[in-house]
Amino acid sequence: MIPQQFEYSAPKTLDEALGLLAEGARPLAGGMSLIPMMKLRLANPEHLVDLGRIKDLSYIREQGTVIHVGATTTHHDVESSPLLRGKCPLLAETASYIGDVQVRNMGTIGGSVAHADPSADYPAALQALEAKIILRGAKSERTVTAEDFFVDTFTTALEPGEIVREVIVPVDGDGTGTSYQKVLQPASGFAIVGVAVRLRKSGDKISMARIGVTGLSNRAFRAKEAEKALEGRTGTPAEIQAVAALVAKGVDANSDLHASADYRLHLATVYAARALAAALGRIA
Amino acid sequence: MATTTITKTEKLVGKRIRRREDPRLITGTATYVDDIKMPGMLYAAILRSPHAAAKIRSIDISKAKALKGVHAVFVGEDTKDAGAVPCAASLPGLRVPHHNVLAIDRVYLVGHPVAVVVATDRYIARDGAELIEVDYEVESAVADPEKALAPGAHAVHPQWPDNVAFNFHQEGGDVAKAFAEADVIVKQRIVSQRLIPNSMETRGVVADWRAADRTMNLYTSTQAPHLVRSLVAQILGLEENRFRVVAPEVGGGFGAKIQTYAEEILLAWISMKLQKPVKWIESRRENFTCTIHGRGHVDFYEIAAKRDGTILGIKLKLIQDLGAYFTILTPGIPTLSVLMMPGLYRTPNISADIVGAFTNCSPTDAYRGAGRPEATHGIERMVDMLAAELKMDPAEIRLKNFVRNEEFPFPTATGLVYDTGDYSAPLKKAMDMADYDKLRKEQAEARKQGRYMGIGLCAYGEICAFGPSPATPAGGWESATVKIEPSGQVTVLTGISPHGQGEETTFAQITGDELGVGIDDVLVLHGDTSMVPYGIGTFGSRSTAVGGTALYYALQDLKAKVKKFGAMLLESEDVTLAGGKCTDNKTGKSVGFKEIAAAAYRAMKLPPNTEPGLVATHFWEPSNFTFPFGAHLVVTEVNGETGDVAIKRYIAVDDCGNILNPLIVDGQVHGGVAQGIGQALWEQAVYDDNGQLVTGEFMDYTMPRAHMMPWIESAHTVTPTPVNPLGVKGVGEAGTIGASPAVVNSVVDALSTLGVKHLDMPLTPEKLWKLISAGRQA
Amino acid sequence: MTESITVNINGTTYSHDVEPRLLLIHYLREVVGLTGPHIGCETSLCGACTVELNGKAVKSCAVFAIQCDGAKILTIEGMAANGKLHKIQEAFWNEHGLQCGFCTPGMIMTTKQILDRNPNPTDQEIRHGLEGNLCRCTGYQHIVNAVKAAAKVAGA
C-alpha cells in the first residue's frame, strides 16, 4: 500500500522535464499503472517527473488529414471528444473500454501507450489506425509507427530519456467503418483479447482493411494476412469468418489463469469476426 | 435535533423503514478502526512469509531497528509468551497445530507472520519491514487437499506426516439397506472451491494498554467482540473485567471476522510492551492471504433412489481443505455440511465421512453460509442428476421428496429437528413467477435453434439462528438490556454485533412496537464489551432470531415493571400499556412514559416488591435452531461461441419467517445471491503447486461487479418459526446458499443436450467453451 | 524531504508539507482528518477511496497528494450542504443502497460523476458507470435503485 520514497519534480515545460528524464528520472503521467505498481513496490523509481503540469501536452487537434492527441490527454477526454467521435471514432470507442470511470478520468494516452501492457486497449486501435507516435528526448524528436513502437511485453521503441509526446491518428472520412471488440478479464477489466477493425469500402468492395489485436500475445500487432485476405472482397459472412480465423493464425498466444492460449486464439477469431461485422455495418 | 415525542403513531414491524444507521455512513462520518487516532499512537507493519513452507534459518532485524522512526521490531522468539491463535471447535481425536502469533522456526503458509515493525507512522513501519532480512530454507509444499492426503505428500506439520487433522463419521438410519434396495444409484464428485470472503473493509486493530489501570482497550473489526475479549484476555493472562473490546463501525464480515486472529493478540501484546497505543491495518494483499478463506470441499456423493424418484439414502465422503492451522471454527465447519446433507428431503438414511486435510494454505473457516452452501450445492446437484437419470422434471422430483407440512417438527437422519416448513410453497411460487411450463417450451424452441438455454432450480434449507448452546462451540444464547432513561427515551444494548445487517433499525422497530414508542425514541447500541453485559455476536443468521428474541423478552420484563409503576401512579390495578402510556382500563385516565420513568428513577414511592429504575436484561437460550428455506429459479443462456453465461432471469423466493423490515430483508437476499453467483461463475482462490496464492489481489480474484450482476426478482413466503416468539428465522445467508446450485443446475441444464451431467465451479467461459467444442465434435 | 502543497478541500483551503510519496487518500485521512474516503485495496480496483479532483471522480489511492497542489477536491464530507443531505445521499438512504457502508462514500462520489455527465442514465449505463466500485454487501441492486432515484430528483 505504501511506495518507497522518491524525489518529485513537476516541471512546467517539456524541455525541463526532458532534462530531468535524461538524468534517469521516470515520467509520471496519469499514474494509473505506475502508482499501483509503486504501492506494491514492484516499481521503485528514485525520481519521478510529473508531466501533469506541462502546458500544452493535453490536446486533441485536427490538422489536415490527421488528428494530434497530446500525451497527457486523458482517456475520458478521448472517449468524449466530439472531434474524435466524429472523425476517428475507433480511438474514442477504444478509450471508453479502458478501466473504469475513475481510471479514465486520470489515465492518459501517453502513459498507457508508453507502458505497453500487452493487454491494454489502445495498442489495438493504434495498430488499426496506423497511428504515428512522436517520441521526444532531450535532444531530438522522432516519429515511429505504432507497428514499430510496440516491441514486446512492457517494452517499446522508447529510448532512455524519451517520452511519448503525441499520438497521431488519421481522420477517417465517409466510407470508413470501425469497431473495437473486447473480452474483459473479469477481475481487472484488462483485455483478454481486444480486436480493433478499420475498414473502408470503395463501391461494394473493401478497399482497405486494418486489424489491430491486443491481449493475444506479447505485444499488440496488426493481422496483416487477414487484412490482405479481406481487401477486394465484399465482406460476406463467410468471408468474415474466413478472415477472422486468419487473425489468430500462427500467433504464439499468451496463457494465464483467465484464458489458455487455445481459448485466447479462439476468442481472437470470434471477436475479430464481431469487430469486422460491426465495422462493416458502420460504413456510412 | 430529534424531538422526544415518546408517542407511537403506527406499527413499525413489517414496514419498509429506511435504516437508522445510515446518516453517519452516507456522510462519511462513521468511525471504522482505521479512523481511530490516539495521542502517541504507533503503527505496526507485519513482515510475512513469501513461501508456503520453509524453515527460518535466521532473521536480521538490525537495519529495520536502525531506521529513524522505528520504535521496535519483534520476531517469533520475542512473542513466545503471547500464546497461540485459538480454536473453539473440538472433535474426537482432533490434531490442533500450535499457531504462534509470529512464526518461530518454520513457516507453513504464504502470509505467515514472521516479524512486526512498530514505528511512528505507517510509511516508516512499512519501510522498516522491507529492511528485515530473513534467511529461509524453502521446502516443497502441498496446496491441494487431495494431493495432501496422497502417500508421500509434503507434511504440512512434520509431526503428522499423513496431513490428516481428523476423521469424522456420522450416520443415521440404515444406509446399507437403502442402497441395497435402490433401483438407481447416482454418484458424483463435487467440488466447492475455496473462496475469499473479501469484506470491503479489511481487518484492523488498535490496542491501547493503560498500565496504571491494568486496562486494555482493543478496537478491532470483528463480528464477535465479547469472544475476542474472553479469548485474548485469557491468552495474555489479563483480567477479563479490565479488558475492553470495541467493534466500532465494521465494514463487512461474512464470517471472516468471527475469529480471534493473531494480530488481535499481537497488537495487545505490543501495546503492553511499548506502553503505547498501536494500530495495525491489514492491506488487501494481507486480507487475501491472512484472513480466513471459505468452502474448500471435495465431496464424493452417492444418492440412492427408487425408480419413482423417492430418495432412499445419501452417502458422502467429504475432504475438507483446512489450510495450515485452525482459526475459531475451522474443523467444525464441515460438520455443518453433514448436518445439512438431507436438504429439504425426507431422506431417512445417510452416512457421511469427513477427512480434514492440512494444506500449506490459509485456514478455511466460516464464510457466508459456512458448510451449508456446500451441503446444499451437493444435495441440489445430486437431486438434479437423479432427475436426469430418471428422466423426471427437476421440480417434480423435489416436490415428491420434500418433507410434508404435516410432518413438522421433522427429525432428520442427521439428528436435527426441522422446526416448521411449507417447502413446496417457495418452489411453486418461483415457478409461477417464471411461468415454468412456458419457459420449458421456450427452451425446447431454443434448442431447436441450437441455443443453450438452461432452467435451474434449487430448493434450499438452512440451519440458522445459531443456536442452542450445547450445539455451538462458544455459547449460542444472546443477551439484551433495555433501559427507559429518566427522560423516557429508550436505550437498547444488544450482545449481537451488527456490521451492515441493520439491527439498529429492526431492533428499534421491535422495541417501538412492544413499548408503544416512536422509533426516534429508541437507540440501539452494540459492539462494546464495557457497555453490553455480554454477547455472542453476529453470524450464522442469528442476530434477529436470537438477539431479537432476547430483546423481546427483556422488553416483556420491562413492560411488566412499567405497568407496575403506571398502576401505582394511576392508583389502579388494571392498566394497559400502549401508545407510550399506561391507561387505567376502568377510568380511562393515563400516565405517559416520561412521568412513569421520572417516578421510577425519582423513587419517592415504589410499587410493592419493586426496585427503582427501569432496566431489564434478558439472556435468551434458544431451544432449537431455525430452518429457513426457499427456492431459486435461474434462467441462463450459454453462448455457444464463447462459453459466456448470461443470466436471463434470477428469481429468489425466500421464507425467513416473519419479515421485520422488507427493505433490509431484500438487501440481505440480493447481497447473498451476489456471493452465490460469484462462487458459481467467477470466484476462486487458486494456489499453485508451490502454495502461492495466484488469485491474491483484485487483479485476479473476480469479485462480482455492478455490470456483472443480473436483476434479482425477490419474493417471499412466510412460515413463522415456533422456536421464537417473533417467528423470525434469519436471512443473512439464504441468498448465498440458494444461488450456487441454482446457477450451476441452470447451466448444466443448458448444456445437457451435449451430454453434460455435472460441472464444477466456477463456470468459467473457457470451461464451458471446451465442453461445447468437444460436444459439437462428438 | 517534504514539499509544501495548498489544496482546497470541500471549500476550505489547506496548506501542508508533504512527502512526495504521500498518497492523496492518506493525506485526506491522516493529515486533513477527512476519514470518509476509505481504503479497500492497493491496486486501485475497489473505488472506496473515490473523491472528486478538479471536478472529476478519481481514486485517491492512485494519486500522490503532491500532484494535487493547487487543486480543488470534494470528498464525501463535502456533499451535504447547510445541514441538508445531497440528493444522492438521500437516495442511498431511502433505497437502502448500503449495508456495511464501507464502499458507500466511493459509491456516492462515483454516482455524482455518473449523473453529472448523464442526468438520466439507463440501468445499463449506471452499472457500467459503477464498474470501478466494489460492494460486497448489496449485490448492487439497491445501489442501482438509488442512482435511479437520485436521477429522478429534479435539480441535478
Side-chain angles (χ1 to χ4, degrees), chain A residues 2 41 185-188 257-260 263 266 270 274, chain B residues 123 127 130 639 641-642 695 698-700 765-766 769:
Chain A
I2 292 155
R41 301 204 173 191
Q185 197 265 57
S188 69
L257 177 72
H258 300 284
S260 69
Y263 186 53
H266 170 73
V270 171
R274 289 184 187 178
Chain B
Y123 281 53
D127 290 345
E130 298 280 324
N639 184 307
E641 235 179 3
T642 61
T695 53
F698 288 146
M699 293 295 287
D700 288 304
E766 176 162 5
W769 166 72

PDB file of all heavy atoms in Angstrom, chain A residues 2 41 185-188 257-260 263 266 270 274, chain B residues 123 127 130 639 641-642 695 698-700 765-766 769:
ATOM      1  N   ILE A   2       2.145   1.117   0.360  1.00  0.00           N
ATOM      2  CA  ILE A   2       2.950   2.315   0.557  1.00  0.00           C
ATOM      3  C   ILE A   2       4.197   2.278  -0.324  1.00  0.00           C
ATOM      4  O   ILE A   2       5.024   1.380  -0.215  1.00  0.00           O
ATOM      5  CB  ILE A   2       3.309   2.457   2.050  1.00  0.00           C
ATOM      6  CG1 ILE A   2       2.010   2.768   2.811  1.00  0.00           C
ATOM      7  CG2 ILE A   2       4.352   3.540   2.266  1.00  0.00           C
ATOM      8  CD1 ILE A   2       2.026   2.369   4.240  1.00  0.00           C
ATOM      9  N   ARG A  41       5.333  -1.991  -4.485  1.00  0.00           N
ATOM     10  CA  ARG A  41       6.799  -1.966  -4.558  1.00  0.00           C
ATOM     11  C   ARG A  41       7.336  -2.859  -5.669  1.00  0.00           C
ATOM     12  O   ARG A  41       8.422  -3.422  -5.583  1.00  0.00           O
ATOM     13  CB  ARG A  41       7.426  -2.289  -3.193  1.00  0.00           C
ATOM     14  CG  ARG A  41       6.957  -1.278  -2.129  1.00  0.00           C
ATOM     15  CD  ARG A  41       7.875  -1.126  -0.961  1.00  0.00           C
ATOM     16  NE  ARG A  41       7.382  -0.016  -0.112  1.00  0.00           N
ATOM     17  CZ  ARG A  41       8.055   0.511   0.881  1.00  0.00           C
ATOM     18  NH1 ARG A  41       9.251   0.067   1.186  1.00  0.00           N
ATOM     19  NH2 ARG A  41       7.541   1.504   1.596  1.00  0.00           N
ATOM     20  N   GLN A 185     -10.998  -9.340 -19.071  1.00  0.00           N
ATOM     21  CA  GLN A 185     -10.566 -10.173 -17.953  1.00  0.00           C
ATOM     22  C   GLN A 185     -11.476  -9.748 -16.807  1.00  0.00           C
ATOM     23  O   GLN A 185     -11.514  -8.563 -16.449  1.00  0.00           O
ATOM     24  CB  GLN A 185      -9.080  -9.878 -17.658  1.00  0.00           C
ATOM     25  CG  GLN A 185      -8.393 -10.917 -16.813  1.00  0.00           C
ATOM     26  CD  GLN A 185      -8.395 -10.539 -15.339  1.00  0.00           C
ATOM     27  OE1 GLN A 185      -9.458 -10.316 -14.753  1.00  0.00           O
ATOM     28  NE2 GLN A 185      -7.230 -10.474 -14.725  1.00  0.00           N
ATOM     29  N   PRO A 186     -12.257 -10.683 -16.252  1.00  0.00           N
ATOM     30  CA  PRO A 186     -13.366 -10.241 -15.399  1.00  0.00           C
ATOM     31  C   PRO A 186     -12.928  -9.555 -14.111  1.00  0.00           C
ATOM     32  O   PRO A 186     -13.658  -8.726 -13.578  1.00  0.00           O
ATOM     33  CB  PRO A 186     -14.130 -11.535 -15.102  1.00  0.00           C
ATOM     34  CG  PRO A 186     -13.132 -12.635 -15.336  1.00  0.00           C
ATOM     35  CD  PRO A 186     -12.223 -12.146 -16.399  1.00  0.00           C
ATOM     36  N   ALA A 187     -11.758  -9.877 -13.608  1.00  0.00           N
ATOM     37  CA  ALA A 187     -11.327  -9.265 -12.352  1.00  0.00           C
ATOM     38  C   ALA A 187     -10.751  -7.866 -12.580  1.00  0.00           C
ATOM     39  O   ALA A 187     -11.107  -6.919 -11.894  1.00  0.00           O
ATOM     40  CB  ALA A 187     -10.296 -10.154 -11.658  1.00  0.00           C
ATOM     41  N   SER A 188      -9.877  -7.735 -13.534  1.00  0.00           N
ATOM     42  CA  SER A 188      -9.134  -6.489 -13.700  1.00  0.00           C
ATOM     43  C   SER A 188      -9.715  -5.566 -14.757  1.00  0.00           C
ATOM     44  O   SER A 188      -9.432  -4.376 -14.755  1.00  0.00           O
ATOM     45  CB  SER A 188      -7.687  -6.804 -14.100  1.00  0.00           C
ATOM     46  OG  SER A 188      -7.663  -7.346 -15.416  1.00  0.00           O
ATOM     47  N   LEU A 257      -4.191 -17.695 -16.028  1.00  0.00           N
ATOM     48  CA  LEU A 257      -5.314 -18.191 -15.249  1.00  0.00           C
ATOM     49  C   LEU A 257      -6.649 -17.930 -15.945  1.00  0.00           C
ATOM     50  O   LEU A 257      -7.583 -18.712 -15.844  1.00  0.00           O
ATOM     51  CB  LEU A 257      -5.281 -17.477 -13.891  1.00  0.00           C
ATOM     52  CG  LEU A 257      -6.401 -17.773 -12.917  1.00  0.00           C
ATOM     53  CD1 LEU A 257      -6.254 -19.168 -12.357  1.00  0.00           C
ATOM     54  CD2 LEU A 257      -6.405 -16.744 -11.799  1.00  0.00           C
ATOM     55  N   HIS A 258      -6.739 -16.811 -16.628  1.00  0.00           N
ATOM     56  CA  HIS A 258      -8.040 -16.377 -17.143  1.00  0.00           C
ATOM     57  C   HIS A 258      -8.344 -16.905 -18.537  1.00  0.00           C
ATOM     58  O   HIS A 258      -9.503 -16.919 -18.945  1.00  0.00           O
ATOM     59  CB  HIS A 258      -8.125 -14.852 -17.115  1.00  0.00           C
ATOM     60  CG  HIS A 258      -7.974 -14.311 -15.727  1.00  0.00           C
ATOM     61  ND1 HIS A 258      -8.986 -14.367 -14.803  1.00  0.00           N
ATOM     62  CD2 HIS A 258      -6.917 -13.776 -15.088  1.00  0.00           C
ATOM     63  CE1 HIS A 258      -8.561 -13.859 -13.663  1.00  0.00           C
ATOM     64  NE2 HIS A 258      -7.300 -13.501 -13.802  1.00  0.00           N
ATOM     65  N   ALA A 259      -7.336 -17.297 -19.268  1.00  0.00           N
ATOM     66  CA  ALA A 259      -7.576 -17.860 -20.599  1.00  0.00           C
ATOM     67  C   ALA A 259      -6.317 -18.585 -21.074  1.00  0.00           C
ATOM     68  O   ALA A 259      -5.227 -18.010 -21.057  1.00  0.00           O
ATOM     69  CB  ALA A 259      -7.947 -16.761 -21.595  1.00  0.00           C
ATOM     70  N   SER A 260      -6.516 -19.812 -21.498  1.00  0.00           N
ATOM     71  CA  SER A 260      -5.388 -20.561 -22.062  1.00  0.00           C
ATOM     72  C   SER A 260      -5.083 -20.003 -23.446  1.00  0.00           C
ATOM     73  O   SER A 260      -5.863 -19.238 -24.017  1.00  0.00           O
ATOM     74  CB  SER A 260      -5.765 -22.038 -22.181  1.00  0.00           C
ATOM     75  OG  SER A 260      -6.760 -22.181 -23.181  1.00  0.00           O
ATOM     76  N   TYR A 263      -7.803 -20.986 -25.948  1.00  0.00           N
ATOM     77  CA  TYR A 263      -9.049 -20.217 -25.801  1.00  0.00           C
ATOM     78  C   TYR A 263      -8.850 -18.793 -26.299  1.00  0.00           C
ATOM     79  O   TYR A 263      -9.714 -18.228 -26.965  1.00  0.00           O
ATOM     80  CB  TYR A 263      -9.474 -20.250 -24.330  1.00  0.00           C
ATOM     81  CG  TYR A 263     -10.829 -19.610 -24.075  1.00  0.00           C
ATOM     82  CD1 TYR A 263     -11.957 -19.991 -24.800  1.00  0.00           C
ATOM     83  CD2 TYR A 263     -10.983 -18.647 -23.079  1.00  0.00           C
ATOM     84  CE1 TYR A 263     -13.200 -19.419 -24.547  1.00  0.00           C
ATOM     85  CE2 TYR A 263     -12.218 -18.074 -22.822  1.00  0.00           C
ATOM     86  CZ  TYR A 263     -13.328 -18.456 -23.555  1.00  0.00           C
ATOM     87  OH  TYR A 263     -14.545 -17.893 -23.306  1.00  0.00           O
ATOM     88  N   HIS A 266      -9.014 -18.776 -29.959  1.00  0.00           N
ATOM     89  CA  HIS A 266     -10.412 -18.917 -30.380  1.00  0.00           C
ATOM     90  C   HIS A 266     -11.167 -17.600 -30.197  1.00  0.00           C
ATOM     91  O   HIS A 266     -11.888 -17.155 -31.101  1.00  0.00           O
ATOM     92  CB  HIS A 266     -11.067 -20.035 -29.568  1.00  0.00           C
ATOM     93  CG  HIS A 266     -12.549 -20.094 -29.752  1.00  0.00           C
ATOM     94  ND1 HIS A 266     -13.133 -20.560 -30.902  1.00  0.00           N
ATOM     95  CD2 HIS A 266     -13.576 -19.708 -28.939  1.00  0.00           C
ATOM     96  CE1 HIS A 266     -14.453 -20.475 -30.795  1.00  0.00           C
ATOM     97  NE2 HIS A 266     -14.748 -19.966 -29.617  1.00  0.00           N
ATOM     98  N   VAL A 270     -13.293 -15.194 -32.791  1.00  0.00           N
ATOM     99  CA  VAL A 270     -14.699 -14.817 -32.593  1.00  0.00           C
ATOM    100  C   VAL A 270     -14.842 -13.296 -32.546  1.00  0.00           C
ATOM    101  O   VAL A 270     -15.726 -12.717 -33.188  1.00  0.00           O
ATOM    102  CB  VAL A 270     -15.234 -15.444 -31.289  1.00  0.00           C
ATOM    103  CG1 VAL A 270     -16.617 -14.880 -30.952  1.00  0.00           C
ATOM    104  CG2 VAL A 270     -15.288 -16.959 -31.399  1.00  0.00           C
ATOM    105  N   ARG A 274     -16.685 -10.476 -34.944  1.00  0.00           N
ATOM    106  CA  ARG A 274     -17.662  -9.499 -34.443  1.00  0.00           C
ATOM    107  C   ARG A 274     -17.239  -8.078 -34.821  1.00  0.00           C
ATOM    108  O   ARG A 274     -18.067  -7.264 -35.224  1.00  0.00           O
ATOM    109  CB  ARG A 274     -17.787  -9.606 -32.925  1.00  0.00           C
ATOM    110  CG  ARG A 274     -18.484 -10.883 -32.476  1.00  0.00           C
ATOM    111  CD  ARG A 274     -18.675 -10.894 -30.971  1.00  0.00           C
ATOM    112  NE  ARG A 274     -19.201 -12.203 -30.560  1.00  0.00           N
ATOM    113  CZ  ARG A 274     -19.447 -12.536 -29.296  1.00  0.00           C
ATOM    114  NH1 ARG A 274     -19.200 -11.674 -28.325  1.00  0.00           N
ATOM    115  NH2 ARG A 274     -19.930 -13.720 -28.994  1.00  0.00           N
TER     116      ARG A 274
ATOM    117  N   TYR B 123       4.036   4.606   7.062  1.00  0.00           N
ATOM    118  CA  TYR B 123       5.026   4.604   5.978  1.00  0.00           C
ATOM    119  C   TYR B 123       6.367   4.080   6.484  1.00  0.00           C
ATOM    120  O   TYR B 123       7.005   3.246   5.849  1.00  0.00           O
ATOM    121  CB  TYR B 123       5.158   6.016   5.384  1.00  0.00           C
ATOM    122  CG  TYR B 123       4.040   6.379   4.413  1.00  0.00           C
ATOM    123  CD1 TYR B 123       2.704   6.271   4.767  1.00  0.00           C
ATOM    124  CD2 TYR B 123       4.332   6.809   3.127  1.00  0.00           C
ATOM    125  CE1 TYR B 123       1.682   6.594   3.881  1.00  0.00           C
ATOM    126  CE2 TYR B 123       3.311   7.136   2.222  1.00  0.00           C
ATOM    127  CZ  TYR B 123       1.992   7.027   2.611  1.00  0.00           C
ATOM    128  OH  TYR B 123       0.990   7.337   1.726  1.00  0.00           O
ATOM    129  N   ASP B 127       8.482   0.707   5.554  1.00  0.00           N
ATOM    130  CA  ASP B 127       9.894   0.784   5.155  1.00  0.00           C
ATOM    131  C   ASP B 127      10.738  -0.145   6.028  1.00  0.00           C
ATOM    132  O   ASP B 127      11.633  -0.833   5.538  1.00  0.00           O
ATOM    133  CB  ASP B 127      10.427   2.221   5.310  1.00  0.00           C
ATOM    134  CG  ASP B 127       9.836   3.181   4.283  1.00  0.00           C
ATOM    135  OD1 ASP B 127       9.257   2.709   3.286  1.00  0.00           O
ATOM    136  OD2 ASP B 127       9.954   4.413   4.488  1.00  0.00           O
ATOM    137  N   GLU B 130      10.512  -3.765   5.154  1.00  0.00           N
ATOM    138  CA  GLU B 130      11.270  -4.086   3.936  1.00  0.00           C
ATOM    139  C   GLU B 130      12.758  -4.300   4.238  1.00  0.00           C
ATOM    140  O   GLU B 130      13.473  -4.888   3.431  1.00  0.00           O
ATOM    141  CB  GLU B 130      11.125  -2.957   2.905  1.00  0.00           C
ATOM    142  CG  GLU B 130       9.700  -2.716   2.438  1.00  0.00           C
ATOM    143  CD  GLU B 130       9.239  -3.701   1.368  1.00  0.00           C
ATOM    144  OE1 GLU B 130      10.070  -4.083   0.531  1.00  0.00           O
ATOM    145  OE2 GLU B 130       8.055  -4.092   1.404  1.00  0.00           O
ATOM    146  N   ASN B 639     -23.437 -18.903 -24.322  1.00  0.00           N
ATOM    147  CA  ASN B 639     -23.063 -18.544 -25.690  1.00  0.00           C
ATOM    148  C   ASN B 639     -22.214 -19.673 -26.273  1.00  0.00           C
ATOM    149  O   ASN B 639     -21.145 -19.992 -25.753  1.00  0.00           O
ATOM    150  CB  ASN B 639     -22.284 -17.224 -25.655  1.00  0.00           C
ATOM    151  CG  ASN B 639     -21.934 -16.739 -27.046  1.00  0.00           C
ATOM    152  OD1 ASN B 639     -21.359 -17.479 -27.841  1.00  0.00           O
ATOM    153  ND2 ASN B 639     -22.302 -15.506 -27.340  1.00  0.00           N
ATOM    154  N   GLU B 641     -20.513 -19.841 -28.829  1.00  0.00           N
ATOM    155  CA  GLU B 641     -19.263 -19.431 -29.463  1.00  0.00           C
ATOM    156  C   GLU B 641     -18.146 -19.192 -28.449  1.00  0.00           C
ATOM    157  O   GLU B 641     -16.986 -19.494 -28.694  1.00  0.00           O
ATOM    158  CB  GLU B 641     -19.513 -18.118 -30.216  1.00  0.00           C
ATOM    159  CG  GLU B 641     -19.135 -18.167 -31.650  1.00  0.00           C
ATOM    160  CD  GLU B 641     -19.434 -16.843 -32.357  1.00  0.00           C
ATOM    161  OE1 GLU B 641     -19.891 -15.869 -31.721  1.00  0.00           O
ATOM    162  OE2 GLU B 641     -19.193 -16.795 -33.550  1.00  0.00           O
ATOM    163  N   THR B 642     -18.516 -18.620 -27.316  1.00  0.00           N
ATOM    164  CA  THR B 642     -17.503 -18.183 -26.350  1.00  0.00           C
ATOM    165  C   THR B 642     -17.587 -18.891 -24.999  1.00  0.00           C
ATOM    166  O   THR B 642     -16.655 -18.807 -24.206  1.00  0.00           O
ATOM    167  CB  THR B 642     -17.663 -16.679 -26.053  1.00  0.00           C
ATOM    168  OG1 THR B 642     -18.967 -16.469 -25.496  1.00  0.00           O
ATOM    169  CG2 THR B 642     -17.497 -15.848 -27.311  1.00  0.00           C
ATOM    170  N   THR B 695      -4.517 -16.044  -7.138  1.00  0.00           N
ATOM    171  CA  THR B 695      -5.581 -15.032  -7.168  1.00  0.00           C
ATOM    172  C   THR B 695      -5.530 -14.232  -5.867  1.00  0.00           C
ATOM    173  O   THR B 695      -6.458 -14.248  -5.069  1.00  0.00           O
ATOM    174  CB  THR B 695      -6.963 -15.685  -7.320  1.00  0.00           C
ATOM    175  OG1 THR B 695      -7.106 -16.681  -6.290  1.00  0.00           O
ATOM    176  CG2 THR B 695      -7.130 -16.347  -8.665  1.00  0.00           C
ATOM    177  N   PHE B 698      -7.280  -8.153  -6.220  1.00  0.00           N
ATOM    178  CA  PHE B 698      -8.473  -7.922  -7.040  1.00  0.00           C
ATOM    179  C   PHE B 698      -8.156  -7.967  -8.536  1.00  0.00           C
ATOM    180  O   PHE B 698      -9.049  -8.035  -9.362  1.00  0.00           O
ATOM    181  CB  PHE B 698      -9.126  -6.583  -6.688  1.00  0.00           C
ATOM    182  CG  PHE B 698      -9.822  -6.570  -5.358  1.00  0.00           C
ATOM    183  CD1 PHE B 698      -9.852  -5.421  -4.574  1.00  0.00           C
ATOM    184  CD2 PHE B 698     -10.478  -7.692  -4.879  1.00  0.00           C
ATOM    185  CE1 PHE B 698     -10.500  -5.395  -3.350  1.00  0.00           C
ATOM    186  CE2 PHE B 698     -11.134  -7.695  -3.659  1.00  0.00           C
ATOM    187  CZ  PHE B 698     -11.150  -6.535  -2.887  1.00  0.00           C
ATOM    188  N   MET B 699      -6.863  -7.914  -8.886  1.00  0.00           N
ATOM    189  CA  MET B 699      -6.466  -8.041 -10.286  1.00  0.00           C
ATOM    190  C   MET B 699      -6.841  -9.406 -10.853  1.00  0.00           C
ATOM    191  O   MET B 699      -7.058  -9.551 -12.052  1.00  0.00           O
ATOM    192  CB  MET B 699      -4.943  -7.891 -10.435  1.00  0.00           C
ATOM    193  CG  MET B 699      -4.368  -6.537 -10.119  1.00  0.00           C
ATOM    194  SD  MET B 699      -4.921  -5.265 -11.237  1.00  0.00           S
ATOM    195  CE  MET B 699      -3.995  -5.687 -12.714  1.00  0.00           C
ATOM    196  N   ASP B 700      -6.843 -10.418  -9.982  1.00  0.00           N
ATOM    197  CA  ASP B 700      -7.035 -11.778 -10.464  1.00  0.00           C
ATOM    198  C   ASP B 700      -8.189 -12.526  -9.806  1.00  0.00           C
ATOM    199  O   ASP B 700      -8.648 -13.532 -10.324  1.00  0.00           O
ATOM    200  CB  ASP B 700      -5.740 -12.587 -10.276  1.00  0.00           C
ATOM    201  CG  ASP B 700      -4.670 -12.156 -11.262  1.00  0.00           C
ATOM    202  OD1 ASP B 700      -4.946 -12.192 -12.470  1.00  0.00           O
ATOM    203  OD2 ASP B 700      -3.578 -11.749 -10.821  1.00  0.00           O
ATOM    204  N   PRO B 765     -16.062 -19.211 -18.725  1.00  0.00           N
ATOM    205  CA  PRO B 765     -16.402 -19.371 -20.145  1.00  0.00           C
ATOM    206  C   PRO B 765     -15.511 -20.411 -20.831  1.00  0.00           C
ATOM    207  O   PRO B 765     -15.988 -21.200 -21.622  1.00  0.00           O
ATOM    208  CB  PRO B 765     -16.180 -17.967 -20.717  1.00  0.00           C
ATOM    209  CG  PRO B 765     -16.362 -17.043 -19.563  1.00  0.00           C
ATOM    210  CD  PRO B 765     -15.877 -17.793 -18.353  1.00  0.00           C
ATOM    211  N   GLU B 766     -14.246 -20.406 -20.482  1.00  0.00           N
ATOM    212  CA  GLU B 766     -13.348 -21.352 -21.156  1.00  0.00           C
ATOM    213  C   GLU B 766     -13.758 -22.798 -20.886  1.00  0.00           C
ATOM    214  O   GLU B 766     -13.739 -23.636 -21.788  1.00  0.00           O
ATOM    215  CB  GLU B 766     -11.899 -21.120 -20.707  1.00  0.00           C
ATOM    216  CG  GLU B 766     -10.967 -22.149 -21.315  1.00  0.00           C
ATOM    217  CD  GLU B 766      -9.503 -21.772 -21.281  1.00  0.00           C
ATOM    218  OE1 GLU B 766      -9.162 -20.737 -20.693  1.00  0.00           O
ATOM    219  OE2 GLU B 766      -8.702 -22.528 -21.864  1.00  0.00           O
ATOM    220  N   TRP B 769     -16.786 -23.453 -22.955  1.00  0.00           N
ATOM    221  CA  TRP B 769     -16.447 -23.462 -24.381  1.00  0.00           C
ATOM    222  C   TRP B 769     -15.802 -24.797 -24.771  1.00  0.00           C
ATOM    223  O   TRP B 769     -16.116 -25.378 -25.808  1.00  0.00           O
ATOM    224  CB  TRP B 769     -15.505 -22.295 -24.699  1.00  0.00           C
ATOM    225  CG  TRP B 769     -14.848 -22.415 -26.033  1.00  0.00           C
ATOM    226  CD1 TRP B 769     -15.438 -22.246 -27.260  1.00  0.00           C
ATOM    227  CD2 TRP B 769     -13.491 -22.771 -26.293  1.00  0.00           C
ATOM    228  NE1 TRP B 769     -14.529 -22.458 -28.255  1.00  0.00           N
ATOM    229  CE2 TRP B 769     -13.324 -22.780 -27.704  1.00  0.00           C
ATOM    230  CE3 TRP B 769     -12.390 -23.071 -25.471  1.00  0.00           C
ATOM    231  CZ2 TRP B 769     -12.096 -23.090 -28.300  1.00  0.00           C
ATOM    232  CZ3 TRP B 769     -11.178 -23.371 -26.071  1.00  0.00           C
ATOM    233  CH2 TRP B 769     -11.033 -23.380 -27.463  1.00  0.00           C
TER     234      TRP B 769
END
